[in-house]
Amino acid sequence: MLYQDTVESEVLVHRPWFVASIFGVVFAICLMFNLVGTTFGELMRPVIGDPLQSGVYGRFAIAFVIGVTFCLNIVLIGFAPLKAQIGIVWIELLTLFLAFFKAFNLSLPFIWENLPYLITQGVVTTIYVSAVSLVCASVIAIIAAIAKLSSNGFAYAIASFYTSFFRGLPLLIQIYLIYLGLPQLGIVINAVPSGILALSLCVGAYMTEIFRAGIQSIDRGQWEASRSIGFGFGLTMRRIILPQALPVIIPPMGNTFISMLKDSSLVSVLGVWELTFLARTIGQPTFHHMEMLITAAMIYWIMSACLEVAQSRLERHYARSKAR
Amino acid sequence: MTAGLKSHLKGLDSGDSSQAIGNVLRESLSSQESFSQKHGSMSADIIIEATNVSKWYGTFRALTDVNLTVRKGERIVICGPSGSGKSTLIRCFNRLEAHQKGEITVNGIRLHNKMRNVTEVRKNVGMVFQHFNLFPHMTVLMNCMAGPMWIKGVPEAQAKKTALKFLERVRIPEQANKYPVQLSGGQQQRVAIARSLCMEPAVMLFDEPTSALDPEMVSEVLDTMTSLASDGMTMVCVTHEMGFARAVADRVIFMDWGQIVEEGNPNDFFTNPQHERTKLFLSQILRH
Ligand SMILES: Nc1ncnc2c1ncn2[C@@H]1O[C@H](COP(=O)(O)OP(=O)(O)O)[C@@H](O)[C@H]1O
Ligand SMILES: [Mg+2]
């Protein structure tokens, strides 16, 4: 939450000038496009007669009605309590979004038919690859972060070379390098392990910086207090510094994990049967591209949303000691 | 600071409250005393011995040939202008800082670069910081239990009992389940003292424990320290609370430019300082 002032001002969406200007903007935008031939035109048939015959009058009327509806909507939402406001706006946006997809004339039976396979094979592989990479990346990141903060030149050099290299190369190229390059050295690994390896190394490099910043954000005094009690380096790190760094680390870490979940689609280039790969291979031969891509998109979204929820839970958990 | 000093001097005039607390708390120290007796036999109850200690930060010489001996049960107050090396000196005593020349022996263990048993030293040296440095993600109780549990392997139930005993001793047992941010500065500093006491140290080091506090909280922390002193705790305090120094200290040490300039019992020190620099310092600090 931002800092909340104690003096209440009138709700923005109830100020006449604001509502009026919103109306103006919506009205102007709707006038720019000829909406006569769309669903809106059909809905207005009782008022404007045959939409296609209504001409400028119809165009005007449609824009006006949309503008009024929109303004009424935001004014009414302004009266609702905070939680309800959030819920209503979410539902409205979601509805608009689904209506947008409906415009593609998707074949629902095709989706239902392939959904189970998409989930049991694609989603499971995606989650498996991401989860394993996530754990590996976290381990790599903690070690590399400590190495980067240490006074050991050797450790610092290795860690900074690592982060520079893996943050600097496109993930797609890293995946190819590991899958095609390692066999040159005589190490042959399968597609899934090499995908996991590439993801772990890449995400680990980003997370190294997140951990380093988190550890550095902790006051020197905490180290001193901990060491003066007699705690060693490991104990101090594990019990004193990292738990305090976590609240700082979690939001950017959530970001990284969500983007990794989606970046895991890049391992489809190795022929790993994860979500994107399946969506493409099922959709292509049957000319149902859109169905499969949109379904995959929705599934990615749901999975990311789960991570978001987990992140906010964790944040709330660690906010405990800050409460006054 | 001066306001705190005044309020404390007032506290000393009326002050048998600290005496009463001292009585209640005396018994809890007996375990600690027997501990130091066991260990003291080998080095004739000298707890800290520093000989010709020098320390540099880069090229800047922060300590110059400091000699100091702290015996069991002694209360030593170190004062001196800001930047004179007081913090540096006491931080060398538990090796939060490394000295480059001379010798420091704590509880019979010599401190040096390659020592493996620095934990043994730190276990026996409690330290209280200017800014409390409590662990904000742990409750007050856990702050006090962590040391004994994780370092000494004390079982949880017993650690809790010890922690409550010492929280009682600093008179805030009712705050045990709060988090540090929920306490006032004075309460936090008393928790920090309890946290150190839970390790049952042989000596307590205080680095300006009251100088980050609001004036009205200074006396509650000083009272706690006074009662510790009256229980025979060995203490080295860096402080500018001259009322406390007068009432409690066995020896007052004045430092300037990284050197011990003057050293004496509080009466002589305050009424009859020998060195110009000491006189100047005292006149500055007591002027208002
Ligand atoms: N970590 C450090 N690096 C460099 N110089 C330091 C450091 N800590 C302290 N000093 C310097 O050492 C001198 C003594 O510092 P300190 O012991 O903190 O003084 P005091 O506690 O008496 O105010 C000061 O001049 C200070 O600037
Ligand atoms: Mg200092």
Side-chain angles (χ1 to χ4, degrees):
Chain A
M1 279 280 185
L2 297 175
Y3 181 79
Q4 199 95 46
D5 207 335
T6 49
V7 180
E8 277 185 35
S9 51
E10 201 193 349
V11 189
L12 186 64
V13 293
H14 289 170
R15 293 189 185 160
W17 65 264
F18 182 77
V19 177
S21 40
I22 287 288
F23 176 80
V25 170
V26 174
F27 186 68
I29 290 175
C30 291
L31 267 189
M32 276 196 288
F33 303 98
N34 191 358
L35 298 172
V36 170
T38 64
T39 325
F40 294 114
E42 283 305 314
L43 285 173
M44 292 286 285
R45 189 182 278 276
V47 187
I48 57 175
D50 182 4
L52 296 177
Q53 309 289 304
S54 58
V56 177
Y57 166 66
R59 198 163 164 167
F60 227 78
I62 291 171
F64 183 77
V65 169
I66 292 178
V68 169
T69 319
F70 192 89
C71 290
L72 204 63
N73 182 36
I74 60 170
V75 170
L76 285 180
I77 289 175
F79 284 112
L82 182 74
K83 285 257 167 63
Q85 275 180 355
I86 297 172
I88 293 170
V89 174
W90 255 86
I91 290 170
E92 282 183 357
L93 289 174
L94 201 63
T95 317
L96 282 179
F97 206 59
L98 290 178
F100 169 69
F101 281 153
K102 201 157 181 326
F104 287 110
N105 279 323
L106 300 178
S107 149
L108 282 181
F110 184 81
I111 292 180
W112 285 123
E113 191 188 320
N114 287 291
L115 192 59
Y117 184 57
L118 218 51
I119 290 177
T120 53
Q121 174 63 43
V123 172
V124 168
T125 310
T126 294
I127 290 182
Y128 165 70
V129 169
S130 312
V132 174
S133 310
L134 187 152
V135 173
C136 296
S138 307
V139 173
I140 295 174
I142 290 192
I143 296 171
I146 292 174
K148 265 195 125 168
L149 291 171
S150 80
S151 49
N152 183 331
F154 213 65
Y156 179 86
I158 293 176
S160 54
F161 182 85
Y162 160 70
T163 48
S164 170
F165 185 83
F166 282 95
R167 286 201 303 174
L169 264 60
L171 180 55
L172 189 60
I173 296 178
Q174 288 176 30
I175 292 172
Y176 277 128
L177 278 182
I178 285 173
Y179 187 58
L180 304 174
L182 284 186
Q184 304 285 328
L185 305 176
I187 310 164
V188 181
I189 42 177
N190 290 335
V192 174
S194 53
I196 290 177
L197 187 60
L199 271 177
S200 307
L201 287 172
C202 179
V203 174
Y206 284 103
M207 270 172 42
T208 299
E209 292 300 297
I210 297 175
F211 272 94
R212 186 185 57 76
I215 292 170
Q216 275 187 316
S217 73
I218 304 304
D219 182 40
R220 255 180 84 82
Q222 292 293 310
W223 281 99
E224 289 174 355
S226 176
R227 299 311 284 273
S228 79
I229 293 176
F231 297 158
F233 175 81
L235 203 56
T236 304
M237 205 59 176
R238 222 172 54 240
R239 303 286 205 141
I240 309 296
I241 304 300
L242 281 182
Q244 288 184 64
L246 274 183
V248 186
I249 288 174
I250 286 170
M253 206 158 77
N255 251 355
T256 315
F257 284 165
I258 286 174
S259 72
M260 179 180 77
L261 182 76
K262 292 171 298 174
D263 286 346
S264 72
S265 64
L266 286 177
V267 303
S268 63
V269 298
L270 306 183
V272 176
W273 286 27
E274 48 72 68
L275 193 50
T276 307
F277 182 83
L278 282 187
R280 274 212 314 258
T281 44
I282 295 174
Q284 240 151 16
T286 48
F287 298 104
H288 283 109
H289 293 291
M290 263 342 240
E291 277 84 352
M292 284 296 99
L293 286 185
I294 289 174
T295 312
M298 288 293 119
I299 294 175
Y300 275 117
W301 190 9
I302 291 170
M303 290 194 292
S304 305
C306 292
L307 280 179
E308 272 169 17
V309 171
Q311 178 191 333
S312 70
R313 283 269 166 83
L314 275 175
E315 273 180 40
R316 225 176 309 150
H317 176 79
Y318 283 107
R320 256 179 348 190
S321 55
K322 293 221 182 73
R324 277 186 180 264
Chain B
M1 208 239 49
T2 39
L5 178 61
K6 274 177 204 153
S7 78
H8 182 63
L9 286 175
K10 244 181 278 151
L12 282 179
D13 289 342
S14 65
D16 45 12
S17 63
S18 53
Q19 204 87 62
I21 304 154
N23 286 335
V24 178
L25 305 170
R26 189 144 299 146
E27 54 200 301
S28 52
L29 255 194
S30 53
S31 57
Q32 184 254 325
E33 271 169 20
S34 66
F35 173 84
S36 348
Q37 270 158 14
K38 256 188 303 187
H39 286 243
S41 54
M42 45 189 170
S43 54
D45 75 3
I46 289 177
I47 293 195
I48 298 176
E49 175 140 51
T51 34
N52 290 324
V53 171
S54 295
K55 169 168 183 63
W56 287 261
Y57 287 113
T59 54
F60 175 76
R61 191 167 193 173
L63 293 177
T64 308
D65 296 326
V66 175
N67 288 291
L68 181 65
T69 307
V70 182
R71 292 196 171 70
K72 184 174 161 296
E74 244 185 335
R75 278 91 50 159
I76 294 177
V77 165
I78 303 178
C79 59
S82 173
S84 57
K86 310 177 296 293
S87 302
T88 306
L89 178 63
I90 68 167
R91 287 155 63 87
C92 283
F93 291 161
N94 65 352
R95 196 120 186 124
L96 280 183
E97 299 287 356
H99 59 283
Q100 279 93 29
K101 227 184 91 209
E103 286 216 359
I104 301 178
T105 310
V106 176
N107 244 355
I109 303 176
R110 197 171 72 85
L111 305 185
H112 58 94
N113 282 340
K114 301 208 161 56
M115 61 190 305
R116 290 269 154 261
N117 51 353
V118 68
T119 306
E120 282 307 309
V121 173
R122 289 177 179 158
K123 259 159 59 172
N124 287 318
V125 181
M127 180 129 186
V128 176
F129 299 87
Q130 181 176 2
H131 296 287
F132 330 137
N133 294 354
L134 293 175
F135 305 132
H137 60 301
M138 299 178 181
T139 60
V140 164
L141 189 61
M142 199 54 211
N143 263 281
C144 296
M145 289 163 63
M149 275 167 65
W150 299 343
I151 294 292
K152 295 185 169 175
V154 175
E156 187 173 343
Q158 197 191 328
K160 185 169 178 178
K161 231 176 80 192
T162 317
L164 283 173
K165 182 177 85 184
F166 284 112
L167 284 174
E168 193 112 16
R169 165 161 205 173
V170 299
R171 289 176 299 145
I172 34 177
E174 71 281 0
Q175 313 284 2
N177 290 314
K178 288 195 180 165
Y179 284 95
V181 282
Q182 296 167 304
L183 307 187
S184 72
Q187 289 172 325
Q188 287 191 49
Q189 193 59 295
R190 285 186 284 150
V191 172
I193 294 174
R195 176 176 71 177
S196 293
L197 289 177
C198 281
M199 293 296 283
E200 319 213 316
V203 55
M204 289 278 282
L205 308 176
F206 294 84
D207 191 356
E208 307 205 22
T210 55
S211 49
L213 296 175
D214 290 337
E216 76 272 19
M217 295 171 187
V218 169
S219 66
E220 68 185 58
V221 171
L222 290 180
D223 284 349
T224 308
M225 290 166 63
T226 310
S227 89
L228 264 183
S230 64
D231 288 344
M233 173 58 86
T234 313
M235 297 162 64
V236 180
C237 312
V238 174
T239 182
H240 290 154
E241 297 293 341
M242 291 306 149
F244 173 81
R246 235 182 243 273
V248 170
D250 297 316
R251 255 191 299 157
V252 180
I253 288 170
F254 175 71
M255 284 184 75
D256 201 2
W257 299 108
Q259 285 168 309
I260 292 183
V261 175
E262 185 162 351
E263 171 169 4
N265 74 48
N267 213 13
D268 297 343
F269 182 84
F270 288 113
T271 51
N272 190 16
Q274 299 299 309
H275 289 260
E276 281 311 311
R277 281 190 276 178
T278 319
K279 284 177 197 162
L280 181 67
F281 175 73
L282 285 177
S283 73
Q284 277 169 344
I285 191 166
L286 296 173
R287 186 185 304 152
H288 310 286

